[in-house]
Amino acid sequence: MMHAGHGGMGHGGMAHGGMDMAPGGIPLASGGEDRDGLEMDLLHLRLGPVLAYWPAGLVLRCALQGDVIVDAEASLVAAGNPTAGAEPRHGSEDPRRSAARRCDNAASLLRLAGWDDAADRARRIRDALLFTDDLDGPAGELQRLRRMVGRSWWLRWSLRRVGPLDTHDLARRALPATLTGDVRDRLVGMLDRAAHTIAGQQPTGPSLGVPVDAIPDLVRGWDLATARLIVASLDLDPLATDREVSHV
C-alpha cells in the first residue's frame, strides 16, 4: 500500500527535547529499551497542529523506535482557549456543512491510503456542498463514491485489520459507536453518515466526540504511516475548540 502522506510530513515541528544536535541542526536519536530488553534509538517527533491530511489543531508527540510509535501524547491547540472542555457541540448544524466535513475527512483518509482519484471526488463533493446551491448533484456523486469505495477489493485488502476497535475497546476508551471496526469500516461509515445527513435521515445535533486522551493509545504499536491512517479514520472535527486538551 502506498502511504502517500508519509513523505509529506513536516519535520520542522519536531519536539527535540534534550536530544543532542548534529551539525546542521539535525536531531540525534537517544537510546531507549525496546520490548525485548535491547537498547534501541528513540526519536521524538511532533505531528501537527498544521499538517497535510491531518486534523487541524491536533498535536501528537510521538516517541519512535525505528518507524514504530512506542509512546505518544496528544493535545489540542485551541485558539484563545487552551484548556477547553471535552463537551460535544451544542445545537444543530447545517446538514450541508456537516456532510461536507465528513467528505473532507474521507478525502484525507483516501489520500493517505494512496487512492488519489477517490480523494479528488470526495473533495469535489465537499466543494459542491459548500459553494453551490445544488444538492441533488452532490448527493448522487456521494452515493457513487460510497459504492466505489465499498466495492474496492484493493482498499479492503490494504486497510483490513488496521486499527481495529470492537465494542469492548470503544467502551473502555469512551469512544462513539461510529468508530467500530477497522480503518476501512470507519471510512465507509464517514461516507454513509454524509449521505444520510444530506438525505435528512441523520440528526446533526450534539453527538459523542472522541476524547483527545484516547488517541495515543490508538496509535501505539503502529508504524508512523499507519498511525496517520488511524487518526484520519477517527473523523475528527478540525480546530475542535470544544474538546478536552490532554495534560502533557
Side-chain angles (χ1 to χ4, degrees):
M1 182 175 63
M2 294 174 57
H3 297 296
H6 180 64
M9 287 182 292
H11 290 175
M14 284 186 183
H16 297 153
M19 289 189 295
D20 295 330
M21 302 296 289
I26 301 174
L28 297 177
S30 58
E33 193 172 275
D34 74 354
R35 288 172 294 184
D36 297 322
L38 303 175
E39 183 170 325
M40 294 184 66
D41 287 338
L42 282 178
L43 181 64
H44 296 274
L45 175 68
R46 187 182 73 182
L47 302 177
V50 179
L51 181 65
Y53 318 125
W54 182 262
L58 176 65
V59 177
L60 189 67
R61 294 177 175 86
C62 306
L64 304 173
Q65 286 183 341
D67 199 31
V68 176
I69 297 175
V70 294
D71 198 11
E73 295 177 330
S75 62
L76 284 175
V77 175
N81 189 9
T83 57
E87 296 297 327
R89 294 183 182 273
H90 296 284
S92 60
E93 183 181 22
D94 177 11
R96 296 175 70 100
R97 294 189 65 84
S98 178
R101 187 167 61 249
R102 302 284 80 77
C103 290
D104 195 47
N105 288 344
S108 293
L109 179 47
L110 286 164
R111 191 76 70 183
L112 289 170
W115 197 356
D116 291 345
D117 179 61
D120 290 341
R121 288 176 180 236
R123 288 285 166 86
R124 287 195 294 269
I125 296 169
R126 176 205 63 184
D127 291 345
L129 288 169
L130 291 177
F131 305 118
T132 73
D133 295 327
D134 182 25
L135 190 60
D136 292 338
E141 286 296 320
L142 184 55
Q143 291 291 353
R144 285 188 282 275
L145 176 61
R146 166 61 180 83
R147 288 194 295 271
M148 184 172 71
V149 168
R151 293 171 179 171
S152 171
W153 283 102
W154 169 80
L155 199 65
R156 187 185 300 273
W157 173 82
S158 61
L159 298 181
R160 64 180 178 179
R161 294 193 293 274
V162 175
L165 294 170
D166 58 25
T167 53
H168 174 72
D169 297 323
L170 299 178
R172 183 163 57 89
R173 298 182 175 99
L175 295 172
T178 54
L179 300 185
T180 303
D182 56 23
V183 166
R184 178 193 171 275
D185 295 325
R186 293 193 284 274
L187 170 61
V188 172
M190 284 184 215
L191 298 174
D192 282 341
R193 289 193 297 278
H196 293 162
T197 299
I198 292 176
Q201 300 173 9
Q202 181 172 300
T204 57
S207 61
L208 180 63
V210 176
V212 175
D213 286 337
I215 296 175
D217 196 30
L218 301 179
V219 300
R220 288 189 187 100
W222 295 95
D223 67 84
L224 199 56
T226 303
R228 293 200 62 186
L229 286 168
I230 292 171
V231 171
S233 76
L234 300 180
D235 199 17
L236 301 175
D237 293 346
L239 295 175
T241 56
D242 56 347
R243 303 289 171 81
E244 183 179 4
V245 177
S246 66
H247 302 289
V248 296

